[in-house]
Amino acid sequence: MKNLKVLKSLILLLGAVLIVLVIWGLAEPYFLNLKEEEAAIPNLPEAWENEEIAVVGDFQIGMWLDNDSTVKQSAEQLVELNPRAVLFLGDYVYHSVEGPAKERQRVKELIRPLTDSNIPVFAVLGNHDYGMGSKTSDPNEELAQEMETALEELGITVLHNEAVPLTLTDDGLEQETASSESLYLVGLGAAWPENADPSKAFAGVPDSAARFVMMHNPETFGTLPAEAAPVSVAGHTHGGQMKVPYTPQWSYTALVSESENDYIYGWIDNYGAAGNQLYINPGIGFSILPMRINCRPEITLFTLKSA
């Protein structure tokens, strides 16, 4: 009898814990985190010292219970932060099948507070923007082009295996015109559609030039040549989405992922070629389940430092 009471108590306790976890998992996505990091960049022009670049990604608009209010909150907070540039890391929509035009329009509405400001925004595309829920899906180039057009209509510069020199002037941030004072922003194509082409992306970047590299999928980082990306950022993993505390590799994303590596969040060591560094942003939206546990949505704000 005593053992039965203990068993019942344990079942009730486990049930209570599960209920609390579910409630918190549904609530945590609405608590946006601001993570401040330093980015050490070799040959950084003096004008760029201590300037800030902000990073967000993986909105995943179109999923059931999608996290659109936090996307809008991130846009509004970015305006308040007023960095020199904002980088979007892809996967703006979830599965654009039934209503892609409606989903794209919703993305535009949510980020408009940011694009209506004078802060330059740069973007790359992710696998979901091609309608790819898995590596074996066929990429929909038409959907990707429509997503790119929607972003460009808001004044966002979408980078496909290309680099743009960014120069600080009295009037703000000047693009395209390179000088010794330029920081090169390099954007890689999406990995799953096999559009990532590092040789093309870095072709116009002088060997000694300061650079900041962006991509959607962290797997692309492993293909970059040595010393090419002293600071780079990626998304895609959602930071694990639901993580067991103090166990970096134990997460929901790791269980369902098709990734070739186990890297899911933050600064990544011992991965990629010498002289390259990667930071993985956990994004804002979800995959499959609309929950986050021990993994808040994040704006990553990088302060640039000379290395």
Side-chain angles (χ1 to χ4, degrees), residues 73-89:
Q73 181 187 349
S74 70
E76 294 170 344
Q77 188 166 346
L78 285 166
V79 174
E80 294 177 5
L81 291 169
N82 194 29
R84 281 294 185 176
V86 172
L87 311 184
F88 285 170
L89 298 179

Side-chain angles (χ1 to χ4, degrees), residues 2 19 29 54 62 73 82 100 107 110 117 124 132 161 166 176 179 195 229 261 288 299:
K2 183 177 181 180
I19 291 171
Q73 181 187 349
N82 194 29
V107 171
L110 293 170
S117 73
V124 292
M132 297 182 70
N161 299 313
L166 306 179
E176 303 297 342
S179 76
N195 286 342
N261 60 63
I288 303 176
I299 295 172

